[in-house]
Amino acid sequence: MSKRQNPSEFLKQIIGKPVVVKLNSGVDYRGILACLDGFMNIALEQTEEYANGQLQNKYGDAFIRGNNVLYISTHKR
């Protein structure tokens, strides 16, 4: 069984790894987590935008304001 960890520990462990960021609007952003702050503002690299499961756009770097974030999870590329 895996060790329990708090959200802060989880977020520190996934910096530099592929993630999915789901927004309140339903749009997903997938990319490499560059950094985040206490307000859940997120910086992603190699970012792809998905709506309804379809790739909409590709960005180099993207900044997502924390109040738009529904959740963040790890993603295997």
Side-chain angles (χ1 to χ4, degrees):
M1 185 169 234
S2 64
K3 179 186 146 202
R4 292 194 102 177
Q5 57 186 349
N6 66 41
S8 179
E9 291 170 347
F10 167 74
L11 292 170
K12 287 178 189 173
Q13 287 179 350
I14 63 171
I15 291 176
K17 297 196 168 122
V19 296
V20 175
V21 179
K22 179 85 163 188
L23 303 187
N24 295 326
S25 66
V27 175
D28 290 354
Y29 287 90
R30 300 175 189 179
I32 307 299
L33 181 62
C35 63
L36 66 138
D37 64 14
F39 296 102
M40 282 295 288
N41 295 317
I42 297 170
L44 294 176
E45 299 170 340
Q46 303 172 29
T47 310
E48 298 175 337
E49 177 184 39
Y50 288 83
N52 299 319
Q54 300 291 328
L55 178 63
Q56 299 295 310
N57 213 337
K58 290 187 177 187
Y59 306 100
D61 296 333
F63 181 80
I64 302 170
R65 189 170 170 185
N67 66 337
N68 295 312
V69 175
L70 182 62
Y71 68 79
I72 181 171
S73 67
T74 55
H75 173 68
K76 293 181 173 72
R77 283 194 145 187

